[in-house]
Amino acid sequence: MRIWQIVQCRGKQPWPLTVGLYRAVVITLVYVRQNLNQAAVGDLFGLSQPTVSRIYRGILPLIGEALCLHIPDLEDAIRGRLVLVDGTDVPTGNRAGHEVNYSGKRRRAGLNIQIAADTDGDLLGISAPMRGSIHDRKAFDECGWEGQLSDTPTIADPAYQRDSRDHSTQETQGW
């Protein structure tokens, strides 16, 4: 509904007229979420690759505009909840000159985004994109969430835990 309102205010539909708004949004979300190429998305929806490209270029900015008003403050969103945290890799393709986004673990270029949700599956927060070569633990610290979640019950995979053992103690105990 919000996307339709934005389009009505501008008076111009920025995607092909042969595709309705709902279908254009679904096509864009499938393309973005599934990391398929545009030709494959076109095959799924019975469209040409150039049409998928025009839909994507027209709809993606509108989705961003529609959602920008609905970004919750993380501190308000986590209050009184058990928070689940994990990082996700958003592939960007192998772009020359962007080596900092290359993840050796995944063998591709991408961005690292931290996601916070509750146990009901409600999205509580999305961090700013970090370089793809960064480990989830470091991204968690650099995006500022470690401090914000320090007093909140949080579940994350073991990679997020700090090594709290004192190394001098380890040496004396023969670890």
Side-chain angles (χ1 to χ4, degrees):
M1 183 66 170
R2 179 73 182 122
I3 293 174
W4 182 250
Q5 291 170 340
I6 294 168
V7 171
Q8 291 302 304
C9 287
R10 293 191 181 147
K12 184 177 183 236
Q13 180 174 321
W15 68 91
L17 297 174
T18 57
V19 179
L21 174 60
Y22 177 82
R23 191 166 184 224
V25 170
V26 169
I27 289 166
T28 302
L29 294 176
V30 165
Y31 174 61
V32 171
R33 180 62 182 108
Q34 299 303 320
N35 195 32
L36 300 172
N37 64 44
Q38 292 176 353
V41 174
D43 288 345
L44 287 172
F45 290 93
L47 300 168
S48 67
Q49 178 275 322
T51 300
V52 172
S53 180
R54 285 191 293 276
I55 291 169
Y56 170 75
R57 286 193 322 263
I59 292 292
L60 192 64
L62 295 174
I63 291 173
E65 284 182 56
L67 294 177
C68 75
L69 301 174
H70 301 285
I71 299 172
D73 178 57
L74 183 62
E75 289 187 31
D76 291 338
I78 63 175
R79 193 170 291 122
R81 298 185 188 198
L82 174 62
V83 179
L84 309 173
V85 176
D86 202 3
T88 188
D89 173 61
V90 179
T92 58
N94 293 326
R95 308 276 196 277
H98 291 84
E99 289 79 19
V100 297
N101 289 335
Y102 186 80
S103 169
K105 177 181 176 182
R106 294 179 182 88
R107 296 190 183 124
R108 66 177 180 213
L111 297 172
N112 182 316
I113 297 178
Q114 299 296 298
I115 307 292
D118 66 12
T119 53
D120 294 328
D122 293 329
L123 182 63
L124 303 176
I126 301 172
S127 75
M130 310 292 284
R131 62 190 184 280
S133 60
I134 194 170
H135 187 275
D136 282 344
R137 175 72 187 97
K138 187 166 177 72
F140 181 65
D141 183 39
E142 286 187 12
C143 76
W145 282 15
E146 183 172 20
Q148 288 181 294
L149 296 171
S150 62
D151 295 329
T152 303
T154 305
I155 297 175
D157 64 51
Y160 282 85
Q161 296 176 3
R162 281 210 181 270
D163 186 6
S164 60
R165 295 177 293 185
D166 181 355
H167 293 287
S168 61
T169 306
Q170 291 175 9
E171 291 174 6
T172 59
Q173 294 179 355
W175 290 0

